[in-house]
Amino acid sequence: MPMKKLIQTLLLFFLFSLQVRAELAVIGNLNSPVTSLSKQEVQDIFMGRTRSLPNGNFALPLDFQELRADFYTKLTARPIEQINAYWARIMFSGQGSPPMTLPDEQAVLKTVSENKGALAYVDSKRVNPKLVRVLLILE
Amino acid sequence: MQRFMKVIFISMFIMHLSCLGKVFADEIAPRVSISGFGTFGFVTTDSDRLAFTRDRTQTQGASASGGITNDSRLGLQLDVDLTNAIHLTTQFVARDHAGDFLEQNLEWAFLRWTPQQDLDLRFGRMGADLFALSDYRNVGYAYTWVRPPHEFYANVPMYHYDGLDITKKFHLGEDLLSIKVAGAYTYNEVPLEDNLRVNLGAPATGVNMVYESGNWRARFSYSFLHLVTDYTSPAIEQLRDPLANIIFPDVQKFIPYYSPKNTDINFFSLGAAFDDGTWLMQAETSYTHSKYKLFADTASGYLSLGRRFDKLTLYALYGIAYSFDQHANVPKPIVDLPELDALYQTIDRSLNSNGVHEQSISIGLRWDVLPKVALKTEWSHYWFGNNGTRLWLRDTSGDWPEQINLWSLSMDFIF
């Protein structure tokens, strides 16, 4: 019994570390002319430095609650507390709002597939190429 | 002017409410969000002669028995994206501020229009961003210290203005340059000693430039205020009596000193900040040129360094402010009466004890205990020069300490 528990714990730990190391795919709408983005471009959009895609279209960045901390750490090398403090400054001084946060993967995929300017991120293994396009992989 | 602004705010609020119903019609726009920030703070000193205030707008000071009203505040913000180009923001901050609680604490109520990429026009009430932290100094969660540097920020009573500002962003490679110009009317109620209050109303204009490059941010700003409000008090009215000049020689020449009307204030500032995720640096320097006698010309600056250790940030801060106040020779009354002597003391104190000669060092710790909650503690030691305690609430003894210790504890959060 203790052995089984140990294996379970190790398995859980292994799965957890896999999860942490999972690649994230930055995804966009299939009808958008934008087919790829650089890390800098994604950063500019998600940090509110620009409100448009490189082709000039309106950008609609979306946060995914579950992967939010992981995404910003991969994108900016900063912990989520610093990202929150950054947005507190921007938002409460009336300069802009952080991306809208969606609660689950289904909502993320649905919103991106329905909005031409939408940008979001999901676990790279969970991308459905019939629904959304991968614009960048973050490791 | 006040009535006009009230009408605007009320109509903007109604616009906000009428948008709430539409939120369910479309998933993306209009998008309504309610958010907020707050601080529970406790501050205590080792003196009962000088009471600490966070800035000149506060009515209560903290002394040796401590105070919770100086740093504690609660802000609520309502944001509405009407379309991709039109946005409404309203923010109210409950805190200790002299004057009308509802009107003075309404910090933001504006409509933002983005007619083209990288161009923002805002109309309504906006935070006055004279210095780097000016327009978010209520949001403790957004900065490392318990409060913005005292020498730099406590002397500035202007929190917001009503008008228009235009911001244009220029992308220069990976760098970003933002230029903002503003034209507005600012109205701020500022407490004076002896339970008096002066209302500072002024048409204002300003420009500021922010340059962001990698981990660096540099900033220049200039603001100009032309004060238009007058000042009256029972003491001033007494002085207008023709008899006053006889028993109190030349006293009437000091009356205009009290009125802000038709005086100008200029604010200049230069600042830089660095943050690479581990190391933090921030420094600003400013010069305030004022023709208003109760608000002396002042130079100030600060430098702060910090180092993050995972969820902990250790920081040190040095600040200095020096005002170039000129001594006014107030003649003594020729009749020896207690009432006249009290009046003399009041005039002499208000004209000759309004200098800011202050330096301080602070050492503090911020602990990001949860993703949206930070605990902070800070120790500060202040030194005052001759006639330099204007940023503090003083007892009437005139015998104020030359040094003070301050201990602060706070919890900042956003939601």
Side-chain angles (χ1 to χ4, degrees):
Chain A
M1 200 59 180
M3 193 59 191
K4 200 177 167 188
K5 202 154 195 179
L6 182 72
I7 290 169
Q8 265 180 357
T9 315
L10 279 173
L11 259 176
L12 266 174
F13 181 75
F14 183 63
L15 281 173
F16 180 72
S17 44
L18 267 186
Q19 173 103 27
V20 168
R21 265 192 254 120
E23 285 180 341
L24 293 184
V26 177
I27 53 170
N29 188 279
L30 285 177
N31 297 323
S32 169
V34 177
T35 55
S36 76
L37 287 171
S38 69
K39 200 172 176 181
Q40 181 69 37
E41 286 166 338
V42 172
Q43 217 181 88
D44 282 348
I45 293 167
F46 275 88
M47 298 301 279
R49 281 196 285 269
T50 177
R51 295 198 188 109
S52 60
L53 295 163
N55 70 347
N57 286 359
F58 185 79
L60 179 72
L62 300 160
D63 271 338
F64 174 17
Q65 186 63 49
E66 195 183 304
L67 298 178
R68 188 170 170 264
D70 195 19
F71 171 70
Y72 283 97
T73 306
K74 286 187 161 83
L75 186 67
T76 66
R78 283 165 199 260
I80 200 67
E81 294 84 2
Q82 288 179 39
I83 303 297
N84 289 343
Y86 167 86
W87 274 112
R89 168 167 71 82
I90 302 292
M91 187 175 173
F92 297 124
S93 61
Q95 297 177 61
S97 311
M100 183 159 81
T101 303
L102 297 175
D104 55 63
E105 199 174 83
Q106 213 178 350
V108 173
L109 293 171
K110 183 171 180 285
T111 312
V112 172
S113 66
E114 286 172 359
N115 291 277
K116 206 173 165 185
L119 290 179
Y121 46 87
V122 288
D123 186 328
S124 60
K125 292 186 216 70
R126 310 277 300 168
V127 174
N128 179 351
K130 284 180 195 153
L131 222 53
V132 294
R133 175 182 285 137
V134 174
L135 305 173
L136 178 72
I137 293 284
L138 289 173
E139 292 172 16
Chain B
M1 194 69 196
Q2 287 302 103
R3 179 168 291 179
F4 170 69
M5 287 317 301
K6 268 187 185 162
V7 170
I8 288 184
F9 295 141
I10 290 166
S11 46
M12 286 185 73
F13 187 67
I14 292 168
M15 278 171 80
H16 264 95
L17 288 181
S18 61
C19 296
L20 282 169
K22 292 184 194 159
V23 68
F24 305 105
D26 189 314
E27 248 182 325
I28 305 304
R31 167 189 169 194
V32 178
S33 62
I34 294 171
S35 52
F37 55 87
T39 302
F40 295 119
F42 174 77
V43 55
T44 182
T45 77
D46 54 6
S47 169
D48 281 325
R49 305 228 129 159
L50 288 178
F52 174 79
T53 58
R54 183 170 159 130
D55 62 50
R56 289 180 81 143
T57 67
Q58 297 199 318
T59 59
Q60 309 254 321
S63 49
S65 52
I68 56 163
T69 58
N70 298 93
D71 294 314
S72 301
R73 55 207 56 225
L74 184 67
L76 269 180
Q77 181 163 315
L78 180 63
D79 282 285
V80 181
D81 282 310
L82 285 177
T83 69
N84 288 344
I86 299 177
H87 180 97
L88 292 169
T89 296
T90 305
Q91 185 190 108
F92 184 82
V93 184
R95 62 181 159 174
D96 173 25
H97 189 300
D100 187 333
F101 182 75
L102 292 177
E103 195 275 333
Q104 286 290 293
N105 288 331
L106 180 70
E107 285 293 274
W108 302 84
F110 68 87
L111 184 150
R112 184 177 67 223
W113 177 41
T114 309
Q116 63 181 73
Q117 166 65 4
D118 293 326
L119 180 67
D120 280 345
L121 280 81
R122 301 191 300 187
F123 171 76
R125 171 165 290 190
M126 274 89 62
D129 60 345
L130 301 172
F131 305 140
L133 283 97
S134 294
D135 64 357
Y136 66 101
R137 63 190 131 157
N138 288 313
V139 191
Y141 184 82
Y143 44 81
T144 314
W145 317 294
V146 168
R147 64 188 79 81
H150 195 248
E151 288 79 11
F152 208 83
Y153 287 90
N155 199 26
V156 181
M158 292 86 190
Y159 265 88
H160 47 246
Y161 51 63
D162 304 322
L164 175 79
D165 67 23
I166 301 169
T167 305
K168 173 75 185 157
K169 287 181 183 173
F170 300 91
H171 295 267
L172 310 165
E174 290 187 357
D175 298 353
L176 183 67
L177 171 69
S178 311
I179 298 179
K180 178 159 100 175
V181 290
Y185 182 81
T186 179
Y187 179 75
N188 297 272
E189 301 180 0
V190 185
L192 298 174
E193 283 171 303
D194 304 305
N195 287 322
L196 299 172
R197 196 177 77 209
V198 62
N199 299 331
L200 301 179
T205 179
V207 57
N208 78 54
M209 287 184 256
V210 178
Y211 193 85
E212 289 172 68
S213 177
N215 295 325
W216 286 92
R217 239 170 100 78
R219 189 178 185 282
F220 164 79
S221 75
Y222 167 70
S223 303
F224 170 79
L225 274 73
H226 178 72
L227 298 163
V228 293
T229 42
D230 210 343
Y231 172 73
T232 54
S233 76
I236 293 285
E237 291 317 307
Q238 277 177 7
L239 296 184
R240 288 191 203 280
D241 190 319
L243 208 64
N245 244 7
I246 299 167
I247 54 170
F248 201 158
D250 279 342
V251 74
Q252 284 176 342
K253 83 171 184 198
F254 298 109
I255 297 174
Y257 284 28
Y258 289 88
S259 173
K261 197 169 181 175
N262 289 325
T263 60
D264 298 339
I265 304 181
N266 296 269
F267 294 97
F268 301 86
S269 80
L270 206 57
F274 173 83
D275 180 353
D276 69 357
T278 304
W279 289 95
L280 294 147
M281 187 283 299
Q282 185 149 6
E284 278 190 281
T285 173
S286 80
Y287 183 71
T288 304
H289 178 57
S290 162
K291 294 283 181 198
Y292 180 36
K293 295 277 186 194
L294 298 190
F295 199 87
D297 288 4
T298 305
S300 61
Y302 69 87
L303 169 68
S304 174
L305 294 171
R307 169 75 159 89
R308 291 196 181 92
F309 302 90
D310 195 19
K311 310 276 181 206
L312 294 177
T313 309
L314 183 67
Y315 62 87
L317 167 68
Y318 169 74
I320 180 167
Y322 186 88
S323 61
F324 304 91
D325 46 312
Q326 284 169 347
H327 187 82
N329 272 316
V330 184
K332 286 215 169 190
I334 53 172
V335 184
D336 195 13
L337 275 173
E339 292 86 358
L340 275 176
D341 191 56
L343 188 60
Y344 164 78
Q345 297 289 349
T346 302
I347 295 169
D348 188 55
R349 190 166 60 239
S350 59
L351 293 179
N352 290 321
S353 298
N354 60 2
V356 183
H357 301 165
E358 181 181 312
Q359 290 182 71
S360 71
I361 54 159
S362 305
I363 291 168
L365 195 65
R366 170 182 172 133
W367 175 25
D368 282 282
V369 60
L370 290 169
K372 294 183 172 182
V373 180
L375 298 176
K376 297 174 188 170
T377 180
E378 191 176 285
W379 164 78
S380 305
H381 187 86
Y382 289 85
W383 290 268
F384 305 108
N386 199 16
N387 170 30
T389 50
R390 179 58 191 90
L391 300 177
W392 300 64
L393 294 182
R394 305 170 288 200
D395 68 8
T396 52
S397 70
D399 179 26
W400 305 309
E402 290 171 0
Q403 296 182 34
I404 269 188
N405 285 298
L406 196 79
W407 294 271
S408 313
L409 200 61
S410 71
M411 182 179 88
D412 294 289
F413 54 91
I414 53 170
F415 56 93

